[in-house]
Amino acid sequence: MAEQARSSVLGVLLAGGRARRMGGGDKCLRPLGSGTILTHVIARARPQTDGLLLNANGDPARFAAFGLPVAADVVEGFAGPLAGVLSGMAWARAHRPDLPWIATIATDTPFFPRDLVARLLAAALRAGADLACAASGGRAHPVFGLWPVRLAEDLRRAMLEEEIRKVDLWTARHRLVEVSFAADPIDPFFNTNRPEDLAEAERLLGAAGPDDGA
């Protein structure tokens, strides 16, 4: 299944938020270990997919060092994660029509599972579901989701004509399967929303992280 995921899924790294709890700016560009948070996210995402797209607003030049295509939200006004999903779908249709799925990954979560995409895809195919999302510790993480590009127009209409912004309002219209990941020894979806979270991430890296520290 890992090989199937690598040949059919575009990874979409969501960096479109405003990082208010971090004092503004790009959370993913904050230093972590020998690189940045985004460095760690890319290292985990790249082997799981057949390409990566960075979804970010503003001047894309600030991400030039990472060598990834950058796509801004196709819905204006910081419309939340669904805007990133739609932007990823639109980019995939235009540039990677060979890939039927996108997997969205938050760029403030440096320890997300290395088998995330394969497990989401396996669960979706097994259940005959339209969508899949991750869960841990009894909580769903819809930002870590698997989305079929074929639903792009459905999502576009929901966002532009119905002004839907909440992820669960749209996913409730489709068959969704949740995939649970272990939250021990740490929750792999631990995110660096605040300065103290970044300090904790540094501590985890110093202790070799939840697996190998990368």
Side-chain angles (χ1 to χ4, degrees):
M1 185 53 65
E3 186 57 40
Q4 185 174 354
R6 283 193 293 268
S7 64
S8 60
V9 181
L10 172 74
V12 179
L13 309 180
L14 301 178
R18 286 175 281 189
R20 284 170 290 197
R21 280 178 284 183
M22 278 286 232
D26 296 296
K27 276 189 292 185
C28 64
L29 295 182
R30 301 293 169 106
L32 178 62
S34 59
T36 64
I37 300 171
L38 184 56
T39 304
H40 292 271
V41 171
I42 291 172
R44 283 177 180 258
R46 196 184 299 277
Q48 301 191 46
T49 61
D50 191 22
L52 295 176
L53 170 71
L54 186 62
N55 164 236
N57 298 303
D59 185 359
R62 68 194 191 277
F63 298 108
F66 297 96
L68 298 178
V70 180
D73 286 345
V74 295
V75 177
E76 296 181 354
F78 292 97
L82 278 181
V85 174
L86 180 57
S87 301
M89 289 176 169
W91 192 92
R93 287 207 304 186
H95 301 280
R96 291 299 307 270
D98 56 313
L99 302 180
W101 301 89
I102 67 166
T104 52
I105 296 166
T107 55
D108 61 356
T109 310
F111 305 126
F112 71 91
R114 295 185 184 279
D115 59 352
L116 172 75
V117 179
R119 288 189 58 189
L120 292 180
L121 181 60
L125 295 178
R126 185 168 55 247
D130 299 307
L131 316 163
C133 79
S136 65
R139 294 177 53 237
H141 305 292
V143 171
F144 288 87
L146 183 74
W147 318 78
V149 177
R150 62 180 172 79
L151 291 181
E153 285 308 315
D154 183 280
L155 179 54
R156 184 185 299 274
R157 285 192 299 270
M159 295 198 72
L160 297 182
E161 298 176 16
E162 302 174 57
E163 298 186 354
I164 286 178
R165 297 293 182 265
K166 290 186 175 295
V167 175
D168 58 356
L169 287 181
W170 185 69
T171 59
R173 300 178 176 185
H174 304 283
R175 188 171 181 183
L176 170 70
V177 61
E178 285 188 5
V179 181
S180 183
F181 291 81
D184 183 59
I186 73 157
D187 190 329
F189 302 102
F190 160 82
N191 58 25
T192 53
N193 268 331
R194 303 162 299 177
E196 53 264 41
D197 299 327
L198 189 55
E200 174 65 6
E202 288 282 6
R203 186 192 70 78
L204 290 168
L205 280 180
D211 42 37
D212 62 4

